[in-house]
């Protein structure tokens, strides 16, 4: 694979991943969305199908890493870091593009949600679940969860551990079951397996932090949230932003180490 194929494939694939994954979060969260309050099951399966779609589209070009933790794990497994910066760049850019497309697709719903007094407060507003979550997630605005993750209980050690554990599960599944014949990315069957594993992680381990398990998936959309002209959007919670970046990278490295010792 050439550097241009890697960059283009990762950009397109990660954009699709975030468009569909962030899209299901928007659908469940925003007022005037037909899927509002569909619940965690919809989010978990939405992200799983997002992974599957993105892998099948990007796989022929780049091997569909779509996640810096996957890139780190495969580099440790093979000992070849030469293409890692290209993968990282495509993944981050794609995540930002995907998040921007979510905003475009749900433009009217974002405006309706963020101008509703029950959501953002104001004269006559009543206490709501959304406001309670905003207060709990210090510095997080009422739609930040559409773009990036946040903890239900803010405990750095636990939050970091949760992201590490979830990513270890993901990367072990990728390395043992998901790789293509060349071992440099996800294969056709591997895409389906990985998608189902992402659903499983969401259902089993997603409750504490929202299961970023992907640094680009969290950081790229968080940057977009900070930049978009959303009314009353609140903060982007930068004090927490390092956890869903560092945790998955550590988890990916640990999983690669486990694989090299136990399976290679």
């Amino acid at each position: 694979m050439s550097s241009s194929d890697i960059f283009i494939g990762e950009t397109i694939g990660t954009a699709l991943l975030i468009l569909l994954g962030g899209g299901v979060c928007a659908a469940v969260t925003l007022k005037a969305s037909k899927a509002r309050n569909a619940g965690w099951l919809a989010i978990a399966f939405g992200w799983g199908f997002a992974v599957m779609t993105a892998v099948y589209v990007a796989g022929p070009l780049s091997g569909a890493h779509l996640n810096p933790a996957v890139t780190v794990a495969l580099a440790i497994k093979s000992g070849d870091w030469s293409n890692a910066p290209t993968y990282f760049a495509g993944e981050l850019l794609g995540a930002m593009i995907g998040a921007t497309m979510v905003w475009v697709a749900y433009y009217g719903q974002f405006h309706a949600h963020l101008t509703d007094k029950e959501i953002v407060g104001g004269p006559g507003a009543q206490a709501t679940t959304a406001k309670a979550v905003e207060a709990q997630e210090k510095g997080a605005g009422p739609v930040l969860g559409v773009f990036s993750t946040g903890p239900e209980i803010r405990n750095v050690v636990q939050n970091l551990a949760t992201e590490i554990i979830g990513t270890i599960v993901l990367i072990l599944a990728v390395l043992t079951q998901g790789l293509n014949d060349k071992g440099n990315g996800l294969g056709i069957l591997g895409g389906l397996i990985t998608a189902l594993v992402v659903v499983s992680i969401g259902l089993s381990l997603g409750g504490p932090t929202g299961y970023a398990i992907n640094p680009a998936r969290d950081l790229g959309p968080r940057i977009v949230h900070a930049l978009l002209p959303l009314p009353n959007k609140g903060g982007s919670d930068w004090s927490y932003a390092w956890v869903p970046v560092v945790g998955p990278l550590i988890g990916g490295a640990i999983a690669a180490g486990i694989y090299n010792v136990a399976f290679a």
Side-chain angles (χ1 to χ4, degrees):
M1 294 179 289
S2 68
S3 294
S4 60
D5 283 345
I6 291 170
F7 183 75
I8 293 170
E10 291 300 289
T11 300
I12 294 173
T14 312
L16 285 173
L17 170 67
I18 303 305
L19 172 61
L20 298 178
V24 73
C25 292
V28 170
T29 301
L30 299 177
K31 293 181 75 70
S33 165
K34 293 182 182 295
R36 193 176 190 216
N37 296 324
W40 191 250
L41 196 63
I43 289 174
F45 276 95
W47 274 104
F49 292 140
V51 169
M52 183 179 68
T53 303
V55 167
Y56 288 156
V57 170
L61 279 176
S62 66
H65 293 192
L66 313 177
N67 181 342
V70 173
T71 301
V72 166
L74 289 176
I76 291 173
K77 173 180 175 289
S78 66
D80 181 8
W81 290 84
S82 60
N83 289 319
T86 306
Y87 276 103
F88 293 155
E91 289 154 1
L92 184 61
L93 177 61
M96 294 177 69
I97 292 172
T100 303
M101 288 193 290
V102 172
W103 169 64
V104 172
Y106 282 89
Y107 180 85
Q109 282 72 24
F110 274 113
H111 182 78
H113 194 83
L114 290 173
T115 55
D116 189 295
K117 289 183 179 180
E118 289 190 348
I119 301 298
V120 299
Q126 297 178 351
T128 65
T129 301
K131 291 298 291 181
V133 170
E134 182 183 354
Q136 186 179 50
E137 298 182 4
K138 301 173 183 176
V143 297
L144 181 59
V146 173
F147 294 89
S148 54
T149 62
E152 287 299 298
I153 295 174
R154 192 169 292 258
N155 181 309
V156 171
V157 174
Q158 179 200 337
N159 302 153
L160 190 64
T162 300
E163 289 295 329
I164 291 171
I165 292 168
T167 308
I168 289 173
V169 174
L170 172 65
I171 300 303
L172 282 177
V174 168
L175 294 179
T176 57
Q177 305 293 328
L179 296 181
N180 57 29
D181 293 338
K182 295 180 180 179
N184 60 1
L186 288 165
I188 294 175
L189 180 59
L192 176 59
I193 293 171
T194 303
L196 294 174
V197 171
V198 169
V199 173
S200 178
I201 293 169
L203 295 176
S204 300
L205 299 172
T209 63
Y211 73 117
I213 58 175
N214 181 339
R217 169 264 176 275
D218 196 274
L219 180 59
R222 196 182 297 269
I223 293 171
V224 170
H225 175 270
L227 296 176
L228 282 177
L230 293 165
N232 306 311
K233 66 181 179 181
S236 302
D237 199 6
W238 288 107
S239 64
Y240 178 77
W242 67 274
V243 173
V245 172
V246 174
L249 291 177
I250 294 173
I254 292 173
I258 293 172
Y259 178 85
N260 284 342
V261 170
F263 297 96

